[in-house]
Amino acid sequence: MPGPVETLWPLGATLGEGAWWNPDDGCVWFVDIKKPTIHRWRWSDGATASWPMPERVGFAVPRASGGFILGLKSGLALWTPGADPVPWLSVDADRPGNRLNDATVDAAGRLWFGSMDDAEVEPTGRLWRLAPAAPSVSAHDGPYVVTNGPAVSPDGRTLYHADSVGRQVWAFDLAADGTLANRHLFARFTESDGYPDGMATDADGGLWVCHWGGGRISRFHPNGRFDRAIRLPAPQVTKCAFAGPDLDRLVVTTAAIGLDRIAHPTAGHLFSVDPGVRGWCPPPVAA
């Protein structure tokens, strides 16, 4: 059964997002999109570090060759801590109001990520895939106002993606060559649920979905049936990731944007909870 929620870092992030466990350095990496900043929390001793970014940053995902791929407002960039981001691939260059938001990596090392309308009004966002070998990016679903998720099942055969404004989580069959098929509705949120945000899958194939405005994380069975939920002491829950040497903890980012800080003093903190199940760790991007 889930254990109590622990505060790892009382950061008060404006828009904390993108929790990612990196086993190579034993750290949890995440971003504050609107600050904008990349943060690192070290598992062994709780040491923290932060790097301001020149523009809004939606994710920081490790590369197999070292460093990170960043999802910036202007597109994908390469980054090594302590250095400036290096622009790499343009995304949505014809949509200056868009930015990148959230990402995952499949078993073949392909990066899946979303673009969205930064004003959260127009359906100009899409689900993108980076083919590292080329390298090149291609759009595979949309349009959306706000893209979120995405997550891949531990067997590598299913990709999940959230249409946050539409309160829907979609599932796709993911082929070995990276093509998507059989798009179908996996879960629908009600108004009282809030909005589906970031996601992670556990070792048993369960999908954990964060509730923006719902103050919790819900687990769904692979067939879409609701299993259970974990309450968080912050209403805007944005992203979760399995972390730790045994992948038996769920780390969670939250956001304080638009909230009364007195009424919600723990909004924007980084949390950890025992989910009662072990997870798995997506690989780094094969680039």
Side-chain angles (χ1 to χ4, degrees):
M1 293 300 292
V5 177
E6 175 188 0
T7 300
L8 298 182
W9 189 352
L11 182 63
T14 301
L15 185 50
E17 251 285 12
W20 193 280
W21 168 248
N22 185 7
D24 290 341
D25 60 18
C27 294
V28 176
W29 293 81
F30 63 104
V31 303
D32 187 332
I33 295 175
K34 303 225 172 180
K35 185 89 176 194
T37 310
I38 295 174
H39 297 294
R40 185 190 69 194
W41 183 88
R42 193 162 60 201
W43 196 268
S44 61
D45 57 5
T48 62
S50 301
W51 294 266
M53 290 288 109
E55 57 182 286
R56 293 185 177 184
V57 53
F59 55 83
V61 177
R63 299 173 65 202
S65 58
F68 292 79
I69 293 179
L70 305 185
L72 300 179
K73 190 176 188 302
S74 58
L76 298 178
L78 305 180
W79 178 68
T80 301
D84 292 330
V86 178
W88 189 36
L89 294 173
S90 178
V91 181
D92 274 347
D94 58 334
R95 300 184 185 275
N98 277 14
R99 67 168 174 84
L100 302 190
N101 189 57
D102 216 346
T104 195
V105 181
D106 67 21
R110 293 176 290 248
L111 181 75
W112 294 88
F113 61 99
S115 62
M116 59 169 279
D117 176 21
D118 201 15
E120 301 180 17
V121 175
E122 299 296 330
T124 56
R126 291 173 285 180
L127 173 66
W128 294 82
R129 186 190 72 197
L130 165 68
S136 62
V137 295
S138 53
H140 291 265
D141 192 40
Y144 299 103
V145 178
V146 177
T147 59
N148 251 310
V152 175
S153 61
D155 64 8
R157 297 178 180 177
T158 305
L159 183 136
Y160 302 97
H161 188 242
D163 167 13
S164 290
V165 172
R167 291 193 168 99
Q168 297 170 322
V169 177
W170 298 95
F172 304 78
D173 293 341
L174 175 59
D177 64 358
T179 57
L180 299 180
N182 188 29
R183 179 183 188 263
H184 59 279
L185 184 65
F186 179 81
R188 187 188 302 275
F189 277 33
T190 65
E191 185 173 352
S192 62
D193 292 327
Y195 301 89
D197 208 301
M199 302 180 284
T201 52
D202 60 41
D204 296 328
L207 179 69
W208 296 79
V209 184
C210 296
H211 292 240
W212 176 279
R216 62 191 185 274
I217 309 169
S218 289
R219 182 183 190 268
F220 296 86
H221 291 283
N223 62 7
R225 181 171 59 87
F226 171 78
D227 177 30
R228 61 185 186 270
I230 300 176
R231 286 277 176 186
L232 275 294
Q236 296 173 165
V237 186
T238 57
K239 181 75 172 184
C240 57
F242 285 91
D246 297 320
L247 295 174
D248 58 352
R249 302 291 295 185
L250 202 59
V251 293
V252 188
T253 53
T254 62
I257 188 169
L259 298 177
D260 183 327
R261 297 292 185 112
I262 296 177
H264 302 282
T266 59
H269 292 1
L270 178 69
F271 297 100
S272 171
V273 66
D274 177 1
V277 65
R278 291 194 178 189
W280 71 287
C281 184
V285 181

